[in-house]
Amino acid sequence: MSEERSFDVIVVGAGPAGSMAAREAARRGVRVLLIDKEKFPRYKVCGGGVAPWVIKKLSVPSDIIERHAKRMGVCAPPSYEVLEFEMPTGYYLVFRDKFDNYLLKLAREAGAKVLEGVRVTDVIFEGDLVRGVKTTRGEFEAKVVIACDGATSVVARRAGFWDKWFTEKGESWEEHMAFCVQSEIALDDEIIDNRIGNKLMFFAGSRVAPLGYGWIFPKRGIVSVGLGSAVGEFEEKPTEYLRRFIEEHPVASRLLEGGRIVRAKGSYVPFKHTFKPSYDNGILVAGDACGHVSPITGEGIFYAVRAGMIAGEVAAESIRRGDQSAMFLREYEKRWQRVIGVHLDVQAKIFEETYAKLKEVEPEDVDKYYGEVLKEAFLKFIQYLLSYISRKRKG
């Protein structure tokens, strides 16, 4: 029996954005194909912080949740004193292999067909309309393609978005990317409780990450330890920065003492602002592929889930209407801008008011200001969240 080759919607990438796009489109009765280059469950570089809204909305099972962090700790030179903050809603901590596999299960249950271990190599055009994808398993046609294939998105690049976002503005993809490296370090739960507790810890400093930060996020029997910095700012291999952070940092090394590295990996993450336009004839872009990531915390799961849901909804509507034009599909960007874009825009402004100013400081003086800059950025972010929550409660 020959494999089905034609669908209403093809979603590329089965991370949070892709699985949610596939699920929402399938729930609305359209034929959906979800493709991912990996076989699930698969490891993903990520601190694993998930907003309570996502946990509740998707009924994430308790066995997937590692911890619930309600406090944040910030540590920076020159004092290396840990300054703690209460987080307005807190974050649930997960491992992405289990969490993403659960979201993929939701997409399957909604009716999406899933192809794992299949790499997308190009998009198919019919005139100026995107009409499918080329893969290592042949060609597949669709009326709408949704690109959710991450920061290095093959689909967005081959469909011409990178030209619009970067090349035509005299910029490069690298200028908008951070590179992150992360290790999973095994420690006894009792040690994690005593040393870290249910707290997200952030570390700044030129020797931690030249224009970024390091993190220590506690799980059950494991601590996720990583760092990320703007591409091009590293003066040594990122793995060397991570080794030094784990072994030599005056605070982090004590917290991690006696731990055993069980896994390590790196990946790219967008960090400046969202990318627009996020639509064209027959195509939508969501998640990391579209820059749906907080420039302050680096958190992307919440924004990817929301953008993916909206992409699936609009794609299904376009199928019902028989209209896959950019004119119709721009509704996707209007919706995500209202739901998440306004918040990401505020965070991008905070980034420019804080972190970006470090570029103006002489290299030998950076660590004098790093601590204050990091604290200012997180305080402004928390104040914005509190103000937003207050407005929502007032109606």
Side-chain angles (χ1 to χ4, degrees), residues 34 47 79 88 93 122 138 160-161 165 218 231 269 272 281 289 364 374:
L34 174 57
S79 70
L93 293 163
D122 206 346
F161 285 96
W165 296 341
V231 170
V269 178
K272 282 187 176 180
N281 296 308
E364 63 270 18
L374 183 68

Side-chain angles (χ1 to χ4, degrees), residues 249-261:
H249 189 279
V251 175
S253 63
R254 292 201 305 270
L255 295 175
L256 302 171
E257 185 178 0
R260 177 175 54 88
I261 295 176

Side-chain angles (χ1 to χ4, degrees), residues 76-77 204-206 209-212 355 358 366-374:
S206 59
L211 187 61
Y355 265 98
L358 288 173
V366 166
D367 279 349
K368 295 179 184 177
Y369 301 97
Y370 227 129
E372 292 307 314
V373 163
L374 183 68

Side-chain angles (χ1 to χ4, degrees), residues 75 80-82 201 203 216 248-256:
C75 176
Y80 293 101
E81 177 187 359
V82 178
M201 299 197 66
F203 299 80
I216 294 180
E248 301 175 14
H249 189 279
V251 175
S253 63
R254 292 201 305 270
L255 295 175
L256 302 171

